[in-house]
Amino acid sequence: MNSNVSAVAGTAAERRLFIGGEWVPASTGRTFPVTDPATGEQLAEVADGGAEDARRAVEAAHEAFSAWSRTPALVRGRILRRAAALMRERQETLARQLTREMGKPIKEARGEIEYAASFFDWFAGEAERVYGDIIPNSVPGKRHMVIKQPVGVVAAITPWNFPAAMVTRKLGPALAAGCTVVLLAEAGLPAGVVNLVTAKDPRPVGQEFLTNPLVRKITFTGSTEVGKYLMREAAAQVKRVSLELGGHAPVIVFDDADVDKAVQGTIASKFRNMGQTCVCANRIFVQQGILDEFTRRFTEAVAALKVGNGLNEDVQVGPLIDRAGLEKVQRHVEDAVSRGARVLTGGRVLEGDEFSGGCYYAPTVLLNVREGMRIMEEETFGPVAPIIPFDTESEAYRRANDSRYGLAAYVFTENVSRAVRAAERLEYGIVGVNEGLPSTAQVPFGGFKESGIGREGGPYGIHEFVEVKLVGLAIAEDVP
Ligand code: SIN
């Protein structure tokens, strides 16, 4: 489980948790440091919450649930819109803080704040569209009505790679549906509707979420291994779960692709957030007829990427999140090279003045990558692009689908029939055709196979936070 645990809440006052509408110290009395991955400098001390804090947060959310769930959808929507406006007003401050906490380039961080705010806007509208049904009766004297109601208290566990957007992608639909959860007291939320518990060791907090019967739903973004654990444990109380887990995205570049689009789209997908997204390109299959040209132009473009501290406006690739992340990238490259892969650019840790104290890895392109190498089996979560040649269309689908993951895939082709075939045959929840950044607030985001359960975003996103209830009515047909 990762260390950015938001239970029932949001960001804020250093050394404090946000529970029941108040900033309070952790019951453990402890804090933990947050460091800048670009410099190693300590930025802040954050409250280190434990099971007792999680319990209090869940109880506060439970207490707030009755009033919040009965608050008209229109009013809930207005509060979400206000939250979005506040985020936009503070975009620059929030973006700079985000870059310093986790390293992403400042332009991407600004983009993330806008992306995060857009989930509040979208779900503000969806709050008003949680429609029910009236189903025709088959016998006289009966009526069938279907209504949708919020699931209850939601525990949200969010990752470090999108510290703002992955919070709002969960909070937006949960609050819109009438559930109680987390964040932004200034937007006008009643006390307890949103609570925040941060923790260095997320296990005690996670355990409380799993065993406390007041929690009716767990929504998680993170690794497949932790997702499986949460799903297993949630079964004991049949808690609802939504899981957005790991990916191992294939890119398929066909002979008929527009090379500019293929190079730009693959770079956008691969190097966004330094390669640390669940939808990042991880296996780049290139058809033989275009292999030389694509590889040459792609390698030139990768070699030209500007690496450095994300606070500099011209930087395109920042540091990795920490040493462990950097070492994993090193292991993947070393393993591939020891089994015959060739480094076309990068392939090394960046050190020296400009990079001192940070976790920098040079944007890398590998050629002659084959199945059996670690990089083909596991998510690298770093700026390494492995190129794998292929011959036929069927072979590309077979090799691309040969993975336990099924989150995102990308295809580059100018042939419309092939584009449709690829979109249908790839076993992935998201397929980008001639583009590398398909996610926005109004579309479903989620995976097949071991990449997760449920969808976030779009009209689908709010369904994860409602229960469907049948109301059967017996009525007298005759007017007395
Ligand atoms: C993720 O990596 O989990 C989120 C990426 C996105 O929303 O595009």
Side-chain angles (χ1 to χ4, degrees):
M1 215 180 283
N2 78 52
S3 63
N4 185 2
V5 171
S6 352
V8 216
T11 63
E14 263 177 54
R15 300 166 198 254
R16 293 273 194 279
L17 308 174
F18 189 63
I19 298 177
E22 283 172 33
W23 291 101
V24 295
S27 64
T28 60
R30 292 192 304 262
T31 58
F32 64 93
V34 174
T35 50
D36 182 341
T39 60
E41 182 197 339
Q42 183 172 321
L43 298 173
E45 288 280 336
V46 171
D48 190 8
E52 171 58 27
D53 302 300
R55 188 157 41 250
R56 283 193 294 125
V58 169
E59 282 163 7
H62 179 67
E63 213 175 297
F65 177 71
S66 164
W68 181 247
S69 58
R70 284 184 283 112
T71 300
L74 197 75
V75 176
R76 293 200 299 263
R78 260 185 222 139
I79 293 174
L80 287 175
R81 283 201 182 88
R82 174 90 185 112
L86 283 173
M87 289 190 83
R88 291 196 177 99
E89 257 171 41
R90 297 168 195 184
Q91 184 182 32
E92 194 56 27
T93 312
L94 291 171
R96 294 187 82 78
Q97 190 171 332
L98 199 151
T99 292
R100 295 202 72 199
E101 273 176 24
M102 57 74 60
K104 74 174 57 174
I106 186 71
K107 286 185 184 142
E108 281 190 39
R110 289 184 193 118
E112 180 176 343
I113 300 303
E114 173 51 39
Y115 185 38
S118 74
F119 285 107
F120 282 152
D121 278 338
W122 170 263
F123 285 108
E126 285 303 279
E128 293 166 42
R129 290 188 280 273
V130 184
Y131 303 134
D133 292 300
I134 303 287
I135 297 175
N137 51 316
S138 47
V139 289
K142 285 218 173 208
R143 294 292 182 273
H144 315 292
M145 195 167 88
V146 175
I147 59 172
K148 294 184 182 153
Q149 293 184 308
V151 294
V153 172
V154 173
I157 305 176
T158 62
W160 53 263
N161 62 342
F162 286 85
M166 296 306 104
V167 171
T168 59
R169 189 149 83 184
K170 291 171 169 40
L171 264 186
L175 296 178
C179 301
T180 46
V181 203
V182 192
L183 202 71
L184 286 176
E186 281 178 79
L189 282 172
V193 170
V194 164
N195 309 266
L196 168 68
V197 179
T198 47
K200 179 153 181 62
D201 176 2
R203 282 170 298 191
V205 174
Q207 201 53 35
E208 181 61 27
F209 289 168
L210 287 162
T211 53
N212 191 323
L214 298 179
V215 173
R216 291 309 319 144
K217 158 106 193 178
I218 297 188
T219 170
F220 170 72
T221 297
S223 74
T224 293
E225 279 50 53
V226 174
K228 286 181 183 176
Y229 164 78
L230 292 172
M231 197 171 167
R232 268 195 311 272
E233 298 292 308
Q237 292 176 3
V238 197
K239 288 184 199 293
R240 274 69 182 134
V241 288
S242 299
L243 306 171
E244 199 267 274
L245 308 177
H248 202 26
V251 174
I252 305 177
V253 183
F254 286 107
D255 281 347
D256 57 34
D258 174 319
V259 183
D260 282 334
K261 280 188 212 162
V263 167
Q264 286 320 314
T266 307
I267 290 208
S269 165
K270 175 69 261 182
F271 294 98
R272 176 177 175 220
N273 208 12
M274 294 74 77
Q276 301 171 123
T277 85
C278 310
V279 289
C280 271
N282 273 288
R283 296 169 291 150
I284 304 166
F285 295 95
V286 186
Q287 204 163 10
Q288 288 288 358
I290 204 173
L291 182 65
D292 289 349
E293 190 187 355
F294 174 84
T295 304
R296 179 179 51 77
R297 288 174 56 186
F298 180 69
T299 306
E300 279 166 16
V302 172
L305 290 171
K306 168 86 179 137
V307 186
N309 187 323
L311 287 177
N312 299 328
E313 289 290 337
D314 59 343
V315 159
Q316 294 161 295
V317 179
L320 289 164
I321 186 69
D322 58 18
R323 290 274 140 209
L326 187 68
E327 283 161 15
K328 182 175 187 195
V329 171
Q330 275 179 293
R331 279 198 304 276
H332 276 200
V333 173
E334 280 162 19
D335 172 76
V337 169
S338 74
R339 291 161 190 246
R342 193 149 64 88
V343 177
L344 298 184
T345 184
R348 64 201 164 87
V349 172
L350 294 172
E351 285 159 327
D353 284 356
E354 198 188 336
F355 305 113
S356 106
C359 304
Y360 293 96
Y361 198 85
T364 298
V365 180
L366 298 178
L367 192 62
N368 300 339
V369 173
R370 288 190 318 272
E371 280 83 357
M373 297 176 177
R374 287 181 74 169
I375 205 158
M376 289 292 281
E377 315 292 334
E378 300 166 27
E379 230 179 341
T380 306
F381 240 56
V384 182
I387 295 184
I388 310 117
F390 73 92
D391 290 302
T392 66
E393 186 176 332
S394 317
E395 176 198 347
Y397 301 144
R398 182 178 47 73
R399 292 173 78 182
N401 286 336
D402 183 19
S403 170
R404 67 186 175 111
Y405 296 110
L407 186 56
Y410 306 88
V411 182
F412 292 91
T413 176
E414 292 297 299
N415 176 324
V416 74
S417 301
R418 186 173 262 165
V420 171
R421 283 196 299 273
E424 289 175 357
R425 285 176 205 195
L426 288 167
E427 296 160 4
Y428 290 82
I430 301 164
V431 179
V433 179
N434 292 327
E435 70 146 331
L437 299 171
S439 28
T440 73
Q442 64 273 30
V443 300
F445 186 102
F448 287 14
K449 301 187 196 167
E450 295 189 22
S451 285
I453 287 193
R455 293 294 180 269
E456 295 189 313
Y460 306 86
I462 201 160
H463 296 155
E464 304 286 335
F465 295 93
V466 295
E467 292 282 18
V468 173
K469 181 185 278 181
L470 165 67
V471 181
L473 292 164
I475 62 149
E477 295 283 359
D478 299 328
V479 179

